[in-house]
Amino acid sequence: MTRSISRLVTTLSALVVAQAAAAQTARFDRFSYDGRSQERVVVAPNAYRNPILSGYYPDPSVTRVGDDYYLVNSSFAHFPGLPIFHSKDLVSWVQIGNAISRPSQLDFTGRAVSQGVFAPDISWHAGVFYIVNTCVECKGNFVITAKDPAGPWSDPIWLPFEGIDPSLYWEGDKAYIVNNRAPNEPPRYDGHRAIWVQEYDWRAGKMVGPSTQIVNGGVDLATKPVWIEGPHLIKHDGFYYLIAAEGGTGDNHSEVVFRSKSLTGPFAPYVGNPILTQRGLAADRPNPVTSAGHAKFVQTQNGDWWATFLATRPYAPERYAIGRETFLLPVTWSNGWPHILAPKTPIPFAAAKPKLPVQPRPTTPVTGDFGYSDTFRGKSLAMQWIGIRTPATPFYTLGTDGLTLHSQAALGDRQGVPAFLGRRQQHHGATITTRVTFVPTTDGARAGLAAVQNDESFLFFGLTRIAGKSVVALYARDKAQSDTLVAAAPVDLSGPVTLTIRADAGEMTFDYQTRAGRRTLKSKFDANLLTTARAGGFVGTIVGPYVYDPAAGTR
């Protein structure tokens, strides 16, 4: 009898587990995106369009190997991370991989969305690609390597110095790391930082020799410059040039330059600094570009110089939800100094192309007006799909029926990984659609589209159960620890439901379609909670499928 009861309990437990597992999955068989830039730009055949990477692609670092160009961006606590792009002409970019692609490389557990990997730098030497980077609140600064920039990339080699934004400078067979660190004196004010340089033994993977401070504070310490960071060293016509960002990542952001006859200084600032900024322009100008800085130079095989840098396109003063973007402008040299843009000159949305072989428009464009769709029928996800933090185990499967998500942690739980996969919102005007099959069996179980800025600022639009009844609902979290129900309506779940978010600058409209037809749940919702100014941090909005069942717990 005891064994029979034990077997019965085991069987019932298995049934409960099976039922819970069934309740915590959702199937998505389509995802589509159509984006429109707020500025209307006519681009001539011999011109390119800025930004060259639309949406959340900040802190660009570029390098050339022969006739090929490679670029990497920050990705913070999103996974996979550090997207790698390739181009032949500096304007047509195709993503070829993610440098952080395995959970064994970095663990983002407990990291806020805007922590994780900051400001990577990519370079090449003797057949090997190098990325030197910082993982904020992880173990600090590190180097990873690959023979193929598409990957796989190595596990991190951790470096002993503090600070952020390291980059590698190669001179012959020697390497040096320059980065932002604390000054060699007690900080005089908030944001007082310094730039240091030290040799890196790339064969042994360790720092060697003395570390030398080469810039204290910024261009003029007496004016209390803040957040000197993103440094890069180059050598040109017998001088070492240090370019760096100064002024913070907001509207006062800028790029400045120093030079020296010696790698270890002293470095003198250019009297015409900054060489790039958008501060000082009229705040009410149409379609402004702001917050320009964090540049890196690259010299083409023809000898021309260009700079990639970040900037933003707000739809209202200091209001943007799509993150900091990658721009490109030529660099000219005059009187021994580099120049990107004259003072109080707006960054152009169209400019003459580099003198490089013209390339076709990518299959998946990353600039201008564009759209795409994904039916999840492949053997693996497209490399543009990212989640939040590093998953210990996979939470999705792909098949002939599409993408199936298995419930994990709730959005907002920093100790967990939500069953969420998203693509960057790359335009302030965008229509984002998915089709989902899901029947919630417990109150609070939900599946649909999430638009996520960070752990405390996001929207959920989809199917859920409230007081025992299935509904389509919109929830918002606005710098909060819990959700607020914005709107809900009964919904027929006898078939798939199509969910559509229509973004228009600071407003969003939410439509759904069932067998009964198409309806609007909420029109012109104030979505400013997704802006960086309101939510804080350094990322852009990520939108995509999400499922969660509170009864199933976190796995």
Side-chain angles (χ1 to χ4, degrees), residues 145-176:
T145 60
K147 291 190 175 180
D148 183 344
W153 288 76
S154 71
D155 287 344
I157 299 170
W158 295 100
L159 303 173
F161 53 84
E162 71 91 19
I164 60 172
D165 296 7
S167 70
L168 270 169
Y169 167 69
W170 296 91
E171 187 166 88
D173 210 29
K174 285 194 172 184
Y176 300 85

Side-chain angles (χ1 to χ4, degrees), residues 492-506:
D492 174 14
L493 298 183
S494 60
V497 178
T498 299
L499 305 168
T500 299
I501 298 176
R502 288 182 284 139
D504 182 11

Side-chain angles (χ1 to χ4, degrees), residues 37 48-62 70-74 83-87 90-95 308-313 322-328 362 364-368 370 424-427:
S37 300
Y48 70 95
R49 180 164 184 162
N50 265 323
I52 54 172
L53 299 181
S54 298
Y56 160 46
Y57 290 109
D59 305 328
S61 172
V62 64
Y70 301 94
L71 186 147
V72 64
N73 299 99
S74 294
I84 307 292
F85 290 86
H86 170 256
S87 177
L90 283 173
V91 298
S92 300
W93 293 92
V94 175
Q95 188 173 350
T308 58
F309 59 94
L310 71 81
T312 63
R313 291 179 294 164
I322 59 176
R324 299 171 298 157
E325 310 175 281
T326 294
F327 287 71
L328 177 77
T364 303
V366 287
T367 185
F370 60 82
R424 290 161 172 85
Q425 181 185 341
Q426 295 175 270
H427 307 81

Side-chain angles (χ1 to χ4, degrees), residues 108-150:
F108 296 144
T109 301
R111 301 285 71 80
V113 170
S114 282
Q115 294 177 337
V117 283
F118 277 47
D121 174 70
I122 189 169
S123 61
W124 179 89
H125 180 74
V128 177
F129 288 87
Y130 291 77
I131 289 177
V132 58
N133 200 196
T134 310
C135 189
V136 172
E137 300 296 330
C138 300
K139 296 181 181 179
N141 296 286
F142 64 90
V143 173
I144 54 176
T145 60
K147 291 190 175 180
D148 183 344

Side-chain angles (χ1 to χ4, degrees), residues 463-552:
L463 312 176
T464 187
R465 197 173 88 166
I466 300 176
K469 297 182 179 180
S470 295
V471 298
V472 58
L474 173 63
Y475 286 93
R477 188 173 295 196
D478 185 358
K479 294 203 76 172
Q481 300 295 316
S482 59
D483 300 341
T484 297
L485 178 63
V486 177
V491 66
D492 174 14
L493 298 183
S494 60
V497 178
T498 299
L499 305 168
T500 299
I501 298 176
R502 288 182 284 139
D504 182 11
E507 295 180 336
M508 284 183 168
T509 295
F510 301 86
D511 304 325
Y512 64 100
Q513 184 171 350
T514 65
R515 292 176 177 177
R518 184 182 179 98
R519 294 182 174 87
T520 296
L521 179 66
K522 182 69 177 178
S523 295
K524 296 184 177 182
F525 175 74
D526 181 357
N528 279 286
L529 65 93
L530 296 175
T531 63
T532 302
R534 182 111 146 234
F538 307 108
V539 304
T541 301
I542 307 297
V543 186
Y546 167 65
V547 65
Y548 175 65
D549 185 351

